[in-house]
């Protein structure tokens, strides 16, 4: 899928973010090898620790439905009620989850600041990743 179309789905996903604590809303759209798209938003919790990032929501939805091969993800984030105006890079935990399922050299991570898309391979964002 065209990366801007994937960004649009991430913006759509962000609408569902549950963020009563940080008020920072993130959306992700994850494409599978066969062209399916899973959307995810961040889901916060009063105990903070159980909070799930948008990217992991998308991955866990996909994996729990039997999809294990992925090509790209688009991620957007901004404070609640605001337009996207900065890049939202995935946290370290999400990068590690991506590395479980994705090829570092080919899996693409698209970040959007409201004007421009910047794309990175997973290896660029997580060099020398841990695996067993
Ligand atoms: N967040 C994400 O959804 N993805 C990231 O990669 C970084 C952080 C969320 C978690 C929390 O709900 C909010 O952004 C503020 O940290």
């Amino acid at each position: 899928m065209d990366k801007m179309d994937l960004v649009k789905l991430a913006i759509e996903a962000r609408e569902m973010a549950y963020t009563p604590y940080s008020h920072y809303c993130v959306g992700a759209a994850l494409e599978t090898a066969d062209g399916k798209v899973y959307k995810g938003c961040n889901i916060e919790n009063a105990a903070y620790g159980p909070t799930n990032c948008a990217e992991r929501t998308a991955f866990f939805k996909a994996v729990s439905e039997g999809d294990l091969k992925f090509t790209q993800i688009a991620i957007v984030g901004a404070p609640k009620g605001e337009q996207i105006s900065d890049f939202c890079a995935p946290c370290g935990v999400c990068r590690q989850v991506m590395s479980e399922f994705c090829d570092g050299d080919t899996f693409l991570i698209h970040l959007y600041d409201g004007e421009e898309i910047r794309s990175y391979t997973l290896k660029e964002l997580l060099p020398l990743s841990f695996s067993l």
Side-chain angles (χ1 to χ4, degrees), residues 17-28 40-45 48 51-57 75-77 88-95 98:
Y18 176 77
T19 61
Y21 306 104
S22 77
H23 310 290
Y24 187 81
C25 300
V26 183
C41 62
N42 52 334
I43 304 167
E44 297 187 343
N45 188 277
Y48 289 27
T51 291
N52 208 55
C53 289
E55 302 89 317
R56 276 178 288 141
T57 300
I75 306 163
V76 296
C88 174
C91 78
V93 172
C94 288
R95 294 177 200 204
M98 290 176 198

Side-chain angles (χ1 to χ4, degrees), residues 11-34:
I11 291 170
E12 226 174 82
R14 181 176 165 267
E15 294 297 313
M16 305 307 290
Y18 176 77
T19 61
Y21 306 104
S22 77
H23 310 290
Y24 187 81
C25 300
V26 183
L30 172 66
E31 187 173 36
T32 68
D34 57 5

Side-chain angles (χ1 to χ4, degrees), residues 6 9-11 13-14 16 26-32 36-43 51-76 90 94 97-98 101-102 107:
L6 203 60
L9 292 172
I11 291 170
R14 181 176 165 267
M16 305 307 290
V26 183
L30 172 66
E31 187 173 36
T32 68
K36 227 183 279 172
V37 175
Y38 287 93
K39 296 195 287 184
C41 62
N42 52 334
I43 304 167
T51 291
N52 208 55
C53 289
E55 302 89 317
R56 276 178 288 141
T57 300
F59 268 92
F60 294 159
K61 281 172 70 178
V63 173
S64 66
E65 295 295 324
D67 274 305
L68 295 168
K69 288 189 177 150
F70 306 102
T71 54
Q72 51 180 347
I73 190 169
I75 306 163
V76 296
C94 288
V97 167
M98 290 176 198
F101 300 106
C102 305
F107 184 72

Side-chain angles (χ1 to χ4, degrees), residues 3 6-7 28-30 55 59 71-76 87-91 94-99 102-112 117-126:
K3 59 189 175 186
L6 203 60
V7 164
L30 172 66
E55 302 89 317
F59 268 92
T71 54
Q72 51 180 347
I73 190 169
I75 306 163
V76 296
F87 297 105
C88 174
C91 78
C94 288
R95 294 177 200 204
Q96 181 63 29
V97 167
M98 290 176 198
S99 80
C102 305
D103 179 76
D105 292 310
T106 57
F107 184 72
L108 292 176
I109 297 156
H110 305 294
L111 310 181
Y112 179 65
I117 297 174
R118 287 194 189 156
S119 302
Y120 304 89
T121 63
L122 177 57
K123 203 183 227 172
E124 284 177 303
L125 297 193
L126 190 68

